[in-house]
Amino acid sequence: MSVTHRFSSVDRRQQILEIATEMFAEKGFAGTTTREIAARAQVNEALIFRHFPSKDDLYWAVLEHKIRSDECQRQVQELLQAAPDVRAALTAVAEWMLRWRAEDPTATRLSLFCALQRHDLTQRFFEQFAANYFELLADYLRHQMRQGALRSVDPLMAARSFVGAVAYQSLLRELFGAVAVGNLDPVEVSHLVVSIWMDGLSVSDGEAAAGKKQLAEIKQRGNTASQEN
């Protein structure tokens, strides 16, 4: 006698959510229908709407499930508060971002589909997830500017530029693999990004003068060698 396993309402909702996550990450919001989700989950389509009133509600539940905004913000806040200085704080946040995105690339795909397809959830997504991260980091940078640890600029713009620099490194890897970014691990990448972001690529007057002197000496040795030959 066969025994048919009956899912509880909570289990069934979770099953639908997990399958919807896979399909939305694979084909996006516009490319996935609730009928297809129901077929893969082996449920009646009406059951999906019993748990999620609309397709938008289902997609939003998927985003909340994958991105876990409150938990992620708490982790970032703890990293910022625990670090002894700005460089250490930003390096810790950068490494956390790189590892989090590497461990779950579906979160990136879901957010990109949400933004690029520009359906009704786009603005809500930015306000609920992205804007909160920017504000959290901007508050930290604003405090450091007031303390004199950083020069005074627009803290929100600074936060966006930092997050963008880190996120783009992981996005390149997710889109093109190691061929795009090499085999640098998150620790190396985070240190390098923070170094470039904080120190820039400009050299001091002394360093520039030393560099010009070195180039002149190299050129002079080359001219001398040519004359001797």
Side-chain angles (χ1 to χ4, degrees), residues 133-145:
Y133 286 106
F134 293 143
E135 289 293 345
L136 177 62
L137 186 56
D139 285 342
Y140 174 81
L141 296 177
R142 185 180 294 108
H143 175 72
Q144 296 301 324
M145 292 172 190

Side-chain angles (χ1 to χ4, degrees), residues 210-229:
K212 289 179 180 179
K213 181 179 179 181
Q214 185 178 23
L215 288 175
E217 291 174 349
I218 293 173
K219 183 178 180 180
Q220 180 61 41
R221 286 198 297 269
N223 291 337
T224 301
S226 296
Q227 293 173 358
E228 291 175 351
N229 291 334

Side-chain angles (χ1 to χ4, degrees), residues 114-192:
C114 181
L116 295 174
Q117 294 178 347
R118 302 196 63 82
H119 59 78
D120 293 342
L121 295 181
T122 302
Q123 185 65 28
R124 183 181 176 190
F125 173 85
F126 179 81
E127 293 174 353
Q128 181 72 26
F129 298 115
N132 288 339
Y133 286 106
F134 293 143
E135 289 293 345
L136 177 62
L137 186 56
D139 285 342
Y140 174 81
L141 296 177
R142 185 180 294 108
H143 175 72
Q144 296 301 324
M145 292 172 190
R146 290 171 178 167
Q147 297 298 312
L150 295 171
R151 68 186 181 92
S152 295
V153 297
D154 184 329
L156 184 57
M157 183 64 72
R160 289 174 178 172
S161 71
F162 175 74
V163 172
V166 178
Y168 191 65
Q169 295 299 317
S170 61
L171 182 60
L172 282 176
R173 180 178 291 277
E174 290 163 18
L175 292 177
F176 305 110
V179 67
V181 294
N183 294 312
L184 293 177
D185 66 24
V187 175
E188 292 175 295
V189 174
S190 59
H191 278 279
L192 182 57

Side-chain angles (χ1 to χ4, degrees), residues 72-82 136 140:
C72 290
Q73 289 180 56
R74 177 184 57 77
Q75 291 180 5
V76 170
Q77 185 70 62
E78 290 176 354
L79 290 172
L80 293 174
Q81 292 177 345
L136 177 62
Y140 174 81

Side-chain angles (χ1 to χ4, degrees), residues 4-188:
T4 301
H5 176 72
R6 295 180 62 86
F7 284 97
S8 68
S9 178
V10 173
D11 290 339
R12 183 64 77 185
R13 185 184 188 279
Q14 184 63 27
Q15 180 207 18
I16 293 171
L17 196 60
E18 291 175 357
I19 290 174
T21 298
E22 295 173 2
M23 297 187 71
F24 281 137
E26 178 184 343
K27 300 194 295 181
F29 179 86
T32 305
T33 67
T34 53
R35 180 175 298 179
E36 291 172 327
I37 295 172
R40 186 177 294 189
Q42 298 182 333
V43 299
N44 189 292
E45 188 178 8
L47 184 62
I48 292 180
F49 294 112
R50 186 181 304 170
H51 291 285
F52 308 95
S54 69
K55 183 180 174 183
D56 276 7
D57 290 317
L58 175 57
Y59 198 81
W60 187 255
V62 165
L63 289 172
E64 288 185 318
H65 174 66
K66 296 303 292 183
I67 297 179
R68 306 184 307 279
S69 179
D70 291 342
E71 179 183 342
C72 290
Q73 289 180 56
R74 177 184 57 77
Q75 291 180 5
V76 170
Q77 185 70 62
E78 290 176 354
L79 290 172
L80 293 174
Q81 292 177 345
D85 53 45
V86 182
R87 189 177 297 270
L90 295 181
T91 301
V93 171
E95 184 179 345
W96 173 83
M97 285 178 60
L98 292 168
R99 292 190 184 281
W100 178 70
R101 291 171 67 99
E103 290 171 1
D104 191 4
T106 59
T108 299
R109 293 181 61 84
L110 289 164
S111 61
L112 287 176
F113 276 127
C114 181
L116 295 174
Q117 294 178 347
R118 302 196 63 82
H119 59 78
D120 293 342
L121 295 181
T122 302
Q123 185 65 28
R124 183 181 176 190
F125 173 85
F126 179 81
E127 293 174 353
Q128 181 72 26
F129 298 115
N132 288 339
Y133 286 106
F134 293 143
E135 289 293 345
L136 177 62
L137 186 56
D139 285 342
Y140 174 81
L141 296 177
R142 185 180 294 108
H143 175 72
Q144 296 301 324
M145 292 172 190
R146 290 171 178 167
Q147 297 298 312
L150 295 171
R151 68 186 181 92
S152 295
V153 297
D154 184 329
L156 184 57
M157 183 64 72
R160 289 174 178 172
S161 71
F162 175 74
V163 172
V166 178
Y168 191 65
Q169 295 299 317
S170 61
L171 182 60
L172 282 176
R173 180 178 291 277
E174 290 163 18
L175 292 177
F176 305 110
V179 67
V181 294
N183 294 312
L184 293 177
D185 66 24
V187 175
E188 292 175 295

Side-chain angles (χ1 to χ4, degrees), residues 194-215:
V194 171
S195 175
I196 293 173
W197 189 84
M198 290 193 67
D199 304 328
L201 295 177
S202 298
V203 296
S204 66
D205 293 340
E207 291 170 326
K212 289 179 180 179
K213 181 179 179 181
Q214 185 178 23
L215 288 175

